[in-house]
Amino acid sequence: MAKYDYDLFVIGAGSGGVRAARLAAVSGAKVAIAEEHRVGGTCVIRGCVPKKFMVYASEFSHHFKTAKSYGWSIEKASFDWPHFLEEKDKEIARLSGIYVRNLQNAGAELAHGKAKLLDAHTIDIDKVGRRTADRILIATGGRPWMPAELPGVEHCITSNEAFHLTELPKRIVIAGGGYIAVEFAGIFNGLGCEVTLVHRGPNILRGFDDDVRSHLTEELEKRGVTVILGASHTAVEKGAGGLVSKLSNGHECESDVVMLSLGREPYTEGLGLETAGVELTGKGAVKVDKFSRSNVENIWAVGDVTDRINLTPVAIREGQAFAETEFYGRPTSFDHEMVASAVFSQPPIGSVGLSEADARKQYGKVDIYLARLKPMKYAFSHGDERALLKLVVECETERVLGCHVVGPDAPEIIQMAAIALKMGVTKPQWDATCAVHPTMSEELVTLREKHVPIGLGQVA
Ligand code: FAD
């Protein structure tokens, strides 16, 4: 008789949980996975995937403008929001179905309901009942953080609701300066809404390279997004003409929708982690070691709930490393260095490695190579959109420490650059790469002149 019902019980069928459950089940282990919402998790249901569909939908307006400069006439372009929502939801349902089938085909059991720990080996699943497991994996992800004390917070939405608005707003105020706020600013702007982005910091996209941050702010403004920096919401009120955002700088702006995108928090509420003795960080994330193991010997955690790098591919790789270690006898830890990321803003960003500021802090002397250019695609248009390409190179070893691109296809470009940076490419090796012509990314391999940032004089 087995001591427990399962060898592995996974809580949360998102990116990390599904990968771990599937691999563990394929190894022959008896596996169950609980999901309180829809299989696929944030990425598939209310994150990366539907967001990217919205980005695609919204980019057409910009393409139409460019098309005109190439001789096309597009007189009656119009956008049907309900049609878009229907198509998006169909595709999301299809993808979620694939996740369910993959789990089933691997032999994992799916339990629909909110799961919570009763002790280190016992899980209670809402409307399903109690189950026991030898090992437990917490993969519950994150959720939008809401400032409960903000007067009028109940009038606001988060990214979760932005995917299901029954009507496309004419005016939207987005609070926040992170990648989700910036991406939705581009989406709603592209779909014809009047967008105001309100961020309390001195610039958007904290953590990204400073040149990237200021470049994107300029480009957003060129496309018609109003960016208000150094201000935050003090209240949101219902007025006669819509919602009124009261800001800390004394300004007020009226809109149809106020979206709060003020960060995300690990989703551990009601999980019973304290009952099982699982330790959390100060930010409420599950504290884990490099093998994603918590302080409780038989409990692990992967993905956003651990608040390491909160991206889908990272959650997947952490889930995979856990399964390889525990069910295939191959101790594996995911390396969180040099993880490339993209912001699907308009224009988009691709970034890998260190920002200039972080590189200076860590390595002292660095060389900067930087180009700003008009993307060839816009050669005929009178708009003044610019792309930015930047390399951060360690002086002593000539190792490329960071690569940052803002412009068309930047996320696609950075995926390839990430391979080179992960391998420790040096600037001479980078330069030895022959350009692909005519492309925007060829500029990256032809950057020869060192850039001296304003204010730094000759200090490399
Ligand atoms: P999740 O995918 O969040 O899955 C957790 C699952 O656990 C959820 O389905 C949840 O319902 C379930 N759950 C939680 N608690 C319980 C419980 N007690 N019982 C049962 N089930 C439970 N990342 C990228 O890499 N690229 C992007 O472009 C990108 N865009 C994003 C856009 C938005 C708007 C958002 C919000 C996120 C985006 N992300 C993106 C981040 C990405 O979605 C997450 O990093 C990823 O989904 C994390 O995976 P996870 O497995 O940790 O958790």
Side-chain angles (χ1 to χ4, degrees):
M1 265 275 283
K3 193 169 169 199
Y4 300 107
D5 298 329
Y6 299 101
D7 299 315
L8 172 67
F9 195 99
V10 179
I11 307 183
S15 308
V18 167
R19 175 59 64 97
R22 217 161 46 76
L23 284 185
V26 166
S27 80
K30 193 165 184 223
V31 178
I33 183 166
E35 173 53 52
E36 68 171 356
H37 184 52
R38 289 175 71 189
V39 175
T42 305
C43 176
V44 177
I45 309 298
R46 39 165 82 137
C48 333
V49 176
K51 180 271 306 278
K52 191 84 187 274
F53 288 137
M54 287 175 94
V55 170
Y56 284 138
S58 63
E59 280 174 342
F60 282 101
S61 57
H62 193 66
H63 296 329
F64 292 152
K65 280 187 201 145
T66 315
K68 275 187 189 165
S69 68
Y70 279 87
W72 287 92
S73 53
I74 302 137
E75 302 310 333
K76 284 192 185 152
S78 65
F79 178 66
D80 184 342
W81 175 249
H83 173 87
F84 167 75
L85 289 187
E86 204 183 309
E87 291 298 320
K88 167 187 75 76
D89 291 343
K90 256 196 259 168
E91 182 59 13
I92 300 304
R94 190 184 73 83
L95 293 173
S96 179
I98 291 176
Y99 272 71
V100 172
R101 275 197 301 284
N102 285 347
L103 282 168
Q104 287 166 343
N105 292 343
E109 276 176 40
L110 188 57
H112 285 286
K114 185 173 175 75
K116 72 168 186 233
L117 297 179
L118 298 180
D119 62 44
H121 288 283
T122 315
I123 311 105
D124 181 63
I125 311 121
D126 197 24
K127 297 194 187 100
V128 175
R130 279 182 193 197
R131 299 289 185 270
T132 57
D134 184 14
R135 296 175 176 88
I136 292 173
L137 178 69
I138 312 292
T140 50
R143 61 179 177 182
W145 177 78
M146 291 292 265
E149 71 294 347
L150 176 74
V153 70
E154 67 279 8
H155 304 314
C156 305
I157 65 161
T158 69
S159 58
N160 285 351
E161 293 75 38
F163 294 115
H164 304 286
L165 290 171
T166 45
E167 265 179 55
L168 189 60
K170 289 197 170 53
R171 304 158 299 171
I172 184 166
V173 169
I174 301 176
Y179 79 93
I180 296 174
V182 164
E183 290 178 340
F184 275 96
I187 288 168
F188 286 113
N189 176 57
L191 294 178
C193 314
E194 198 183 296
V195 179
T196 306
L197 187 66
V198 180
H199 177 49
R200 69 174 179 177
N203 209 347
I204 57 173
L205 292 177
R206 190 160 60 92
F208 281 80
D209 184 88
D210 287 337
D211 281 317
V212 167
R213 299 169 74 190
S214 40
H215 188 89
L216 188 75
T217 307
E218 281 170 31
E219 294 302 317
L220 286 177
E221 286 175 330
K222 281 181 200 167
R223 290 204 186 193
V225 175
T226 303
V227 182
I228 301 177
L229 297 172
S232 55
H233 277 75
T234 54
V236 177
E237 290 174 3
K238 269 196 167 166
L243 294 173
V244 181
S245 290
K246 301 207 162 188
L247 304 184
S248 56
N249 63 4
H251 287 169
E252 289 186 1
C253 28
E254 204 178 65
S255 65
D256 307 306
V257 171
V258 176
M259 174 174 157
L260 301 184
S261 188
L262 300 168
R264 292 177 62 80
E265 60 185 3
Y267 185 23
T268 53
E269 193 187 276
L271 253 181
L273 293 177
E274 55 300 329
T275 331
V278 176
E279 212 180 313
L280 301 182
T281 67
K283 288 182 177 170
V286 180
K287 213 170 174 177
V288 289
D289 66 12
K290 68 174 183 167
F291 292 103
S292 297
R293 189 184 223 136
S294 77
N295 64 311
V296 179
E297 209 191 6
N298 71 307
I299 300 181
W300 287 257
V302 294
D304 287 10
V305 76
T306 63
D307 197 22
R308 286 175 281 182
I309 299 178
N310 298 332
L311 293 173
T312 287
V314 174
I316 291 174
R317 295 292 288 268
E318 289 169 356
Q320 176 155 346
F322 157 76
E324 287 195 21
T325 306
E326 292 302 315
F327 296 94
Y328 291 82
R330 291 193 293 263
T332 310
S333 62
F334 175 66
D335 175 11
H336 292 83
E337 289 293 310
M338 287 291 178
V339 171
S341 67
V343 180
F344 296 95
S345 45
Q346 297 177 39
I349 297 173
S351 178
V352 60
L354 296 177
S355 67
E356 180 180 340
D358 284 345
R360 284 189 194 285
K361 256 187 247 152
Q362 285 183 39
Y363 291 89
K365 287 188 172 178
V366 292
D367 288 327
I368 301 301
Y369 297 85
L370 186 143
R372 281 178 219 273
L373 52 103
K374 182 166 183 164
M376 186 178 177
K377 189 175 181 181
Y378 305 125
F380 298 171
S381 13
H382 298 297
D384 56 353
E385 179 160 335
R386 290 286 178 278
L388 173 95
L389 303 123
K390 179 170 178 178
L391 289 180
V392 181
V393 178
E394 187 190 1
C395 279
E396 205 180 316
T397 60
E398 296 190 276
R399 187 174 161 211
V400 182
L401 301 173
C403 176
H404 310 281
V405 181
V406 188
D409 303 323
E412 305 291 341
I413 294 167
I414 215 67
Q415 180 67 84
M416 294 297 108
I419 300 172
L421 266 77
K422 185 85 184 160
M423 291 173 76
V425 69
T426 63
K427 184 67 166 56
Q429 289 168 329
W430 186 276
D431 292 347
T433 309
C434 189
V436 178
H437 182 72
T439 63
M440 186 181 82
S441 49
E442 70 182 292
E443 295 291 332
L444 270 180
V445 293
T446 54
L447 285 168
R448 295 289 185 270
E449 273 203 19
K450 288 179 193 168
H451 170 79
V452 181
I454 299 164
L456 274 181
Q458 290 310 305
V459 183

